[in-house]
Amino acid sequence: QSALTQPASVSGSPGQSITISCTGTSSDVGNYNLVSWYQQHPGKAPKLMIYENSKRPSGVSIRFSGSKSGNTASLTISGLQAEDEADYHCCSYAGSSSWVFGGGTRLTVL
Amino acid sequence: QVQLVESGGGVVQPGRSLRLSCAASGFTLSSHGMYWVRQAPGKGLEWVAFIWYDGSEKNYADSVRGRFTISRDNSKNTLYLQMNSLRAEDTAVYYCGRDKGRGTYYDTYGMDVCGQGTTVTVSS
């Protein structure tokens, strides 16, 4: 049950696009189409932004998109806004009713 | 609307026990798999435990297996986490979460909603 690998931090200017990667193994990310992404503002609960690799829950901005290739999933945020500044966590199914999260990425909007 | 409310957190000495509860409302608990996820101070999220919609299957992170037990009472719309032999490294905010599906091998999608969390501090 090793954690998925995410960059500790990323940054971008308003209006730009950024991508956060999430690297796992062939036992988790690479084996299932069940990667989710969560946004978490300081002191708040996580909020689902992407599920099943690339699906967006209702109410989530179309500026958020997800993808997966091999053992790596990615979250892209386009048209960065100040309110996007938060921590982002990826999570993948790892089989047999087990799940694994990444270490989290701090997004700074410059 | 869908709501999950955790309770039962507090300060506890190492080696002692604590039971967390998660009250569900706004949806049919018996139709969903459920999670416990935690976040240590300044750290990322960590999956702790998962239970199928009917309680027939459960699984745990290696860090808590043998010490923590997840259970549910669908008649009371409540999820539980019994935590025994607590350690300093169990100090965290504990969130309960809902799976979009029943949580079985072919009907699981990940956590779509979670509560606001309850804080557990293990310290002498």
Side-chain angles (χ1 to χ4, degrees):
Chain A
Q1 296 181 346
S2 298
L4 306 176
T5 300
Q6 297 180 234
S9 63
V10 298
S11 62
S13 300
Q16 287 186 331
S17 294
I18 63 94
T19 297
I20 300 171
S21 62
C22 170
T23 301
T25 69
S26 57
S27 296
D28 38 61
V29 175
N31 200 34
Y32 304 96
N33 289 316
L34 290 174
V35 174
S36 301
W37 289 90
Y38 300 89
Q39 176 191 66
Q40 186 180 32
H41 287 107
K44 301 295 186 181
K47 175 188 174 185
L48 179 66
M49 305 303 284
I50 296 289
Y51 66 101
E52 292 182 65
N53 299 348
S54 60
K55 297 180 180 179
R56 234 182 355 262
S58 62
V60 171
S61 171
I62 60 171
R63 299 185 298 105
F64 291 82
S65 62
S67 64
K68 192 191 88 168
S69 178
N71 296 338
T72 297
S74 298
L75 172 71
T76 298
I77 308 173
S78 59
L80 267 180
Q81 299 179 0
E83 69 216 45
D84 299 331
E85 185 162 293
D87 293 329
Y88 290 85
H89 308 271
C90 63
C91 179
S92 175
Y93 186 60
S96 300
S97 297
S98 71
W99 298 82
V100 59
F101 279 90
T105 298
R106 173 69 52 87
L107 168 62
T108 301
V109 180
L110 301 170
Chain B
Q1 72 280 22
V2 172
Q3 192 169 15
L4 296 168
V5 179
E6 302 91 341
S7 61
V11 180
V12 61
Q13 293 179 328
R16 304 298 290 264
S17 299
L18 208 57
R19 187 176 85 155
L20 305 183
S21 299
C22 170
S25 60
F27 68 100
T28 303
L29 182 66
S30 59
S31 297
H32 293 269
M34 296 295 293
Y35 302 77
W36 284 103
V37 171
R38 69 184 180 183
Q39 187 170 34
K43 302 296 185 181
L45 299 173
E46 179 187 15
W47 170 72
V48 173
F50 183 66
I51 186 169
W52 284 15
Y53 70 107
D54 59 357
S56 62
E57 178 115 353
K58 310 169 187 181
N59 203 357
Y60 302 90
D62 290 344
S63 57
V64 307
R65 184 173 289 113
R67 300 186 300 122
F68 289 12
T69 301
I70 187 172
S71 63
R72 61 194 300 158
D73 187 337
N74 289 337
S75 67
K76 295 183 177 179
N77 292 319
T78 304
L79 175 75
Y80 302 100
L81 184 68
Q82 177 67 42
M83 304 186 295
N84 298 332
S85 303
L86 282 162
R87 306 167 180 168
E89 53 264 37
D90 295 318
T91 294
V93 176
Y94 284 74
Y95 298 98
C96 69
R98 184 189 78 167
D99 194 290
K100 185 167 162 285
R102 294 178 302 155
T104 61
Y105 296 142
Y106 298 101
D107 188 24
T108 188
Y109 304 91
M111 186 174 70
D112 67 343
V113 177
C114 70
Q116 289 302 306
T118 187
T119 300
V120 173
T121 302
V122 184
S123 174
S124 54

